[in-house]
């Protein structure tokens, strides 16, 4: 069995993903069918952001992955040069 | 057919259906809410796939099968073996 911290982190991740999924589903799928005067529209950003935010998040993620890979490759190159 | 081509075919099929519906190529008169749901659907698919991936990783982390007793036993056996080998004159 996993330790306490592992369990907390794991179920935390599950909870975060579930929260994001339900919020995004309400935002994208349910909101157009609800009357535009309804109070629930106060709790959601304009619809364009439903695409722009994931796009921005994906680009940021790609940027960080790229930076990380460059950093690791440069570091390993230095080490092999030293070893030679 | 490999898994990759299967996925590519499925995605291409879904994508073309989505494009046809969004561009109005079929000549359907969809009601306004349906059109509003339709255009962010690729982003929705992507976000749900991401949520699924995150949830799977979290679930596997939470239910990972640690064997702490076995690890302790193995560590003690290593210490034992090292002591035994050192007694017989092996230098590490």
């Amino acid at each position: 069995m996993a330790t306490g911290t592992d369990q907390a982190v794991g179920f935390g991740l599950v909870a975060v993903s579930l929260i994001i999924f339900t919020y995004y589903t309400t935002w994208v799928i349910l909101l157009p069918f609800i009357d535009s005067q309804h109070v629930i529209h106060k709790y959601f950003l304009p619809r364009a952001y439903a695409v722009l935010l994931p796009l921005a998040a994906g680009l940021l993620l790609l940027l960080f992955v790229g930076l990380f890979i460059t950093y690791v490759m440069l570091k390993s190159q230095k080490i092999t040069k030293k070893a030679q | 057919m490999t898994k990759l081509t299967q996925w590519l075919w499925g995605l291409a099929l879904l994508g073309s259906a989505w494009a046809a519906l969004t561009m109005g190529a079929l000549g359907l008169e969809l009601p306004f809410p349906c059109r509003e749901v339709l255009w962010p659907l690729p982003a929705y698919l992507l976000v749900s796939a991401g949520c699924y991936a995150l949830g799977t990783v979290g679930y596997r982390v939470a239910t990972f099968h640690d064997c702490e007793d076995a690890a302790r036993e193995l560590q003690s056996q290593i210490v034992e073996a090292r002591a035994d080998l050192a007694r017989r004159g092996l230098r590490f």
Side-chain angles (χ1 to χ4, degrees):
Chain A
M1 210 48 219
T3 51
T5 8
D6 290 349
Q7 269 187 350
V9 170
F11 285 126
L13 283 179
V14 174
V16 165
S17 74
L18 280 180
I19 289 168
I20 292 175
F21 181 71
T22 35
Y23 184 82
Y24 200 72
T25 305
T26 352
W27 190 7
V28 172
I29 306 289
L30 291 182
L31 227 53
F33 295 102
I34 296 171
D35 189 48
S36 59
Q37 303 303 314
H38 200 280
V39 224
I40 197 172
H41 282 272
K42 267 202 320 196
Y43 301 103
F44 295 89
L45 286 169
R47 226 174 148 60
Y49 287 100
V51 173
L52 284 180
L53 283 182
L55 205 72
L59 285 181
L60 263 181
L61 191 79
L62 273 184
L63 180 75
F64 278 115
V65 168
L67 280 180
F68 178 73
I69 289 177
T70 355
Y71 172 71
V72 168
M73 285 179 83
L74 283 179
K75 215 169 89 173
S76 73
Q77 219 173 27
K78 237 183 234 167
I79 288 172
T80 42
K81 253 187 203 158
K82 241 182 223 169
Q84 274 168 2
Chain B
M1 194 146 55
T2 62
K3 213 69 196 165
L4 176 66
T5 41
Q6 265 180 33
W7 275 97
L8 286 180
W9 268 111
L11 281 182
L13 217 68
L14 275 181
S16 49
W18 174 81
L21 282 173
T22 333
M23 307 290 174
L26 299 179
L28 291 175
E29 272 304 315
L30 290 173
F32 180 71
C34 287
R35 265 182 289 138
E36 279 287 277
V37 170
L38 200 61
W39 70 263
L41 264 193
Y44 179 74
L45 206 68
L46 204 70
V47 170
S48 8
C51 282
Y52 173 71
L54 194 67
T56 317
V57 169
Y59 181 72
R60 294 295 172 199
V61 167
T63 57
F64 191 79
H65 193 69
D66 279 1
C67 313
E68 288 193 73
D69 292 336
R72 262 197 297 277
E73 193 187 330
L74 194 63
Q75 291 293 340
S76 69
Q77 278 174 359
I78 288 171
V79 170
E80 214 175 286
R82 270 177 175 265
D84 189 46
L85 287 173
R87 203 162 41 81
R88 287 163 200 250
L90 188 78
R91 267 195 296 271
F92 294 103

